[in-house]
Amino acid sequence: MFTGIIEELGTVTAVEPRGDSVALTIRGPLVVADARHGDSIATSGVCLTVVEQTPDTFTAFVMKQTLDMSAHGALRVGDPVNLERAASVGDRLGGHIVQGHVDGTAQVLETGDGDGWRRVRFSLPPELSPLVVDKGSVALDGVSLTVSAVSPETTAPADAWFEVSLIPETLAATTLGDRVAGDRVNVETDVLARHVRRMLRLDAAAAQTVQEAR
């Protein structure tokens, strides 16, 4: 479990194909300082398991499903990534509950700068649209953020969007400050929203079954 508060900007140092998977090595002296074999580290929002480590790097295997669901398949040596260790019991929850299980990706549509802050608009895949609400929580590349605006419900699904507003600290301390139109980011929606959607679908299916039985 993570909080979406990034601890360190890491750097990809090796990408080694292993069949349909990838062995990813990342430099992050802070997050590996107390890491052990089997520990979880969120890498731009994707929960990865430490399988090897040095004093300043760790290696994790990224499975095909993760490569398909996230932007990790495009990572190359030298790319920066957001890093966060798993939360410790008793820590303050500075962001929101983040699992490191991404729902998919979104594309940067446009950016606009304010007085020291930046507005970023992202595409909103139709399957994720019900899970993203104005003033709700979302994790982008592992960064806990508040949704500042969403497209109207009357917007065509293919044109749906949402926006976040990034403060100077987020711009400086994470990879989001370098994102430009066309870039893709990993998206994890709020786990509570996922549960609500599941319950509503089950209720609808049960109602349909009752209706058909009459």
Side-chain angles (χ1 to χ4, degrees):
M1 196 68 68
F2 306 92
T3 67
I5 304 301
I6 303 306
E7 296 185 280
E8 181 176 24
L9 276 176
T11 305
V12 176
T13 61
V15 180
E16 182 181 349
R18 300 282 182 89
D20 60 1
S21 303
V22 167
L24 195 64
T25 301
I26 297 169
R27 184 180 184 278
L30 175 63
V31 298
V32 299
D34 59 354
R36 298 174 297 178
H37 183 87
D39 280 357
S40 296
I41 296 176
T43 307
S44 286
V46 178
C47 178
L48 298 179
T49 301
V50 176
V51 295
E52 297 176 7
Q53 65 188 101
T54 71
D56 63 354
T57 70
F58 71 95
T59 299
F61 289 114
V62 186
M63 300 295 100
K64 181 179 185 301
Q65 181 182 15
T66 302
L67 295 174
D68 291 342
M69 287 290 294
S70 72
H72 273 32
L75 285 177
R76 299 292 182 265
V77 172
D79 284 350
V81 289
N82 298 318
L83 299 177
E84 180 192 355
R85 291 169 289 189
S88 299
V89 175
D91 277 358
R92 294 182 178 87
L93 186 61
H96 71 284
I97 296 174
V98 178
Q99 294 180 300
H101 304 158
V102 302
D103 296 295
T105 63
Q107 187 175 44
V108 178
L109 298 177
E110 62 181 58
T111 65
D113 288 335
D115 187 12
W117 58 278
R118 181 171 301 162
R119 174 187 59 83
V120 186
R121 178 174 291 190
F122 296 89
S123 61
L124 184 55
E127 65 275 14
L128 301 186
S129 189
L131 305 177
V132 178
V133 299
D134 188 26
K135 305 303 185 291
S137 296
V138 67
L140 301 179
D141 275 353
V143 183
S144 174
L145 297 167
T146 298
V147 177
S148 55
V150 293
S151 54
E153 286 74 10
T154 54
T155 304
D159 298 325
W161 51 265
F162 70 98
E163 292 181 353
V164 296
S165 298
L166 307 179
I167 63 173
E169 172 64 18
T170 304
L171 293 172
T174 76
T175 58
L176 296 180
D178 296 325
R179 296 303 186 192
V180 296
D183 286 348
R184 302 201 74 84
V185 298
N186 296 318
V187 179
E188 180 183 334
T189 57
D190 184 26
V191 64
L192 296 179
R194 297 182 200 169
H195 283 294
V196 170
R197 180 174 66 174
R198 173 66 171 167
M199 288 187 291
L200 290 175
R201 285 179 172 176
L202 288 173
D203 284 346
Q208 180 65 30
T209 300
V210 170
Q211 183 66 29
E212 292 173 351
R214 289 177 178 175

